[in-house]
Amino acid sequence: MTSDRAHRTYGIDLLRGVACAAVLLFHYLSRGPRAGWMPGVLDSRIEPVARYGYLGVHLFFMVSGYVIFMSAEGRSAREFVASRVARLYPALWVACTLTMLLVVFSGDQRFLVSWSDYAWNLTLVPQYVGARFVDGAYWSLAVELQFYLMVWLVLRTSSMARVELLLWAWLCIAMADALRPMYPAERWLIANWAPLFSLGAVTYLASSRGWTRQRAALAATAGALALWHSVKEAAHLAHEWNGDGPNPVVVALLLCVAAASFMLFGLGTLRVGRTAWATVPGKLTYPVYLVHQVAGYLAYGWLVSETHAPRTTVGIVIMLSVAVGWVIHRGIEQRFAPRLRRAIIGVGERKSA
């Protein structure tokens, strides 16, 4: 990795940490208290800010567009699959199992799913069979997987040279979906999230190959459609929250800040050195995301009855989420992900021999 590319990667990892922190604050200081899963935490001064933390997922999708295109460049379809499987599944299997066992042990019917649902969650495709998510946060993994499948098809059909044309087609579908939402397009082509992934992909193409008029137009179109979809989403959330939802204007401003920050780091305009603040988030974001929500709500319920201090307990739960994420990273990801990747590539080599 060149020094320039390394600096861009460190910046992207830093943004992952920011996105993860935003989602944690959203679940612990807004969604959880609103739903009654974290009694005593709701604060009229903090919640109106924390409610916008759900936009961390939007930043995740931008980053994913960038990182997935970077990881796909120069790789075969099988190598791409091996890298994604090794990255996603080991941590998921452990985090999902841990969450399921905690829910069963607690007997909390609010979060309990069937063992069949649990088994489907381990495949990362429960949405295809109508199974419930073990943890509601896993919905974004389903979106990510759909994006990975689309990139795999591009690699499998040797279409990477035409990827900008494919991005235009995807954005056209996203525009049609914005005008008139279409369930098949959102389910199979993640049309409502296409602008965020596309913005990430175009930023990577520009950072590695330079700007062209077409890439600039792609970035502008993706950004405009991302705003459009996000404002529509905010209006939907406002209705879902009985009128007390995110302000569309604030959502638009925050998304612009997130997109601008992402592009500045992705293009290398803003640089970050190799420090713990930049590298650790890249390692911990995924496992922390996997364990923070349902397990965090349960941990809060157990601990607050002992501490009788809701805000202190939230801090403890955040530290526990990070600690468990670190254990999963060091004990599972670092040990088993490389082996799984080599095994998948090895199977392909043996079949082609």
Side-chain angles (χ1 to χ4, degrees):
M1 178 183 293
T2 64
S3 176
D4 181 60
R5 182 168 173 177
H7 281 294
R8 292 200 303 272
T9 302
Y10 299 147
I12 292 297
D13 283 344
L14 180 62
L15 289 179
R16 281 173 167 164
V18 171
C20 187
V23 172
L24 260 68
L25 293 178
F26 169 67
H27 284 140
Y28 291 163
L29 299 177
S30 179
R31 178 172 171 76
R34 276 174 171 267
W37 298 328
M38 301 183 76
V41 176
L42 194 62
D43 189 311
S44 60
R45 297 165 299 177
I46 298 175
E47 194 282 329
V49 176
R51 68 177 58 178
Y52 294 97
Y54 77 93
L55 292 171
V57 175
H58 297 61
L59 181 53
F60 273 134
F61 288 162
M62 291 183 223
V63 168
S64 184
Y66 185 100
V67 171
I68 296 308
F69 264 62
M70 181 169 63
S71 67
E73 190 171 53
R75 282 181 171 169
S76 67
R78 179 171 289 276
E79 289 172 331
F80 175 74
V81 168
S83 69
R84 291 301 91 200
V85 168
R87 171 62 173 155
L88 293 180
Y89 281 93
L92 172 71
W93 292 333
V94 173
C96 185
T97 301
L98 175 62
T99 300
M100 184 67 179
L101 292 176
L102 287 174
V103 172
V104 171
F105 174 78
S106 71
D108 195 324
Q109 297 296 315
R110 297 173 301 174
F111 306 117
L112 188 63
V113 302
S114 69
W115 286 104
S116 174
D117 288 341
Y118 158 75
W120 277 109
N121 273 255
L122 298 181
T123 69
L124 252 184
V125 293
Q127 70 278 11
Y128 293 153
V129 296
R132 290 176 59 195
F133 291 115
V134 170
D135 187 307
Y138 292 0
W139 73 267
S140 64
L141 302 184
V143 174
E144 290 273 0
L145 184 66
Q146 197 68 30
F147 176 56
Y148 299 167
L149 289 173
M150 296 170 75
V151 174
W152 174 81
L153 281 173
V154 170
L155 292 172
R156 190 70 180 83
T157 57
S158 302
S159 301
M160 190 58 79
R162 300 186 295 276
V163 73
E164 292 177 32
L165 179 61
L166 294 174
L167 288 174
W168 275 120
W170 200 20
L171 289 176
C172 285
I173 295 171
M175 184 179 296
D177 182 71
L179 292 169
R180 184 178 180 180
M182 301 172 288
Y183 176 75
E186 293 187 356
R187 179 176 177 83
W188 301 108
L189 298 175
I190 49 174
N192 49 327
W193 302 112
L196 296 168
F197 287 112
S198 297
L199 183 60
V202 173
T203 300
Y204 174 70
L205 292 175
S207 72
S208 60
R209 305 175 191 177
W211 284 107
T212 63
R213 289 183 179 179
Q214 177 165 238
R215 286 170 196 151
L218 272 170
T221 303
L225 284 173
L227 280 174
W228 190 351
H229 276 279
S230 297
V231 168
K232 285 186 63 178
E233 181 189 21
H236 174 75
L237 288 174
H239 175 73
E240 193 176 86
W241 296 359
N242 299 317
D244 186 25
N247 185 315
V249 175
V250 176
V251 167
L253 290 173
L254 289 175
L255 192 65
C256 285
V257 171
S261 301
F262 161 72
M263 293 187 73
L264 288 172
F265 279 115
L267 294 169
T269 306
L270 290 179
R271 295 170 178 266
V272 175
R274 186 175 183 177
T275 64
W277 288 104
T279 57
V280 171
K283 298 174 182 177
L284 297 188
T285 294
Y286 180 56
V288 169
Y289 184 83
L290 290 174
V291 301
H292 83 278
Q293 188 173 337
V294 168
Y297 293 156
L298 292 174
Y300 174 85
W302 296 330
L303 291 172
V304 77
S305 62
E306 300 294 330
T307 65
H308 303 290
R311 293 182 184 178
T312 300
T313 305
V314 169
I316 294 173
V317 170
I318 290 174
M319 290 188 289
L320 282 174
S321 297
V322 173
V324 173
W326 178 255
V327 171
I328 292 175
H329 170 68
R330 290 296 299 270
I332 303 300
E333 289 187 310
Q334 286 191 340
R335 291 187 180 185
F336 297 104
R339 299 178 190 177
L340 185 56
R341 182 178 182 277
R342 287 194 297 268
I344 294 172
I345 294 175
V347 168
E349 291 174 348
R350 288 194 294 271
K351 285 184 177 180
S352 62

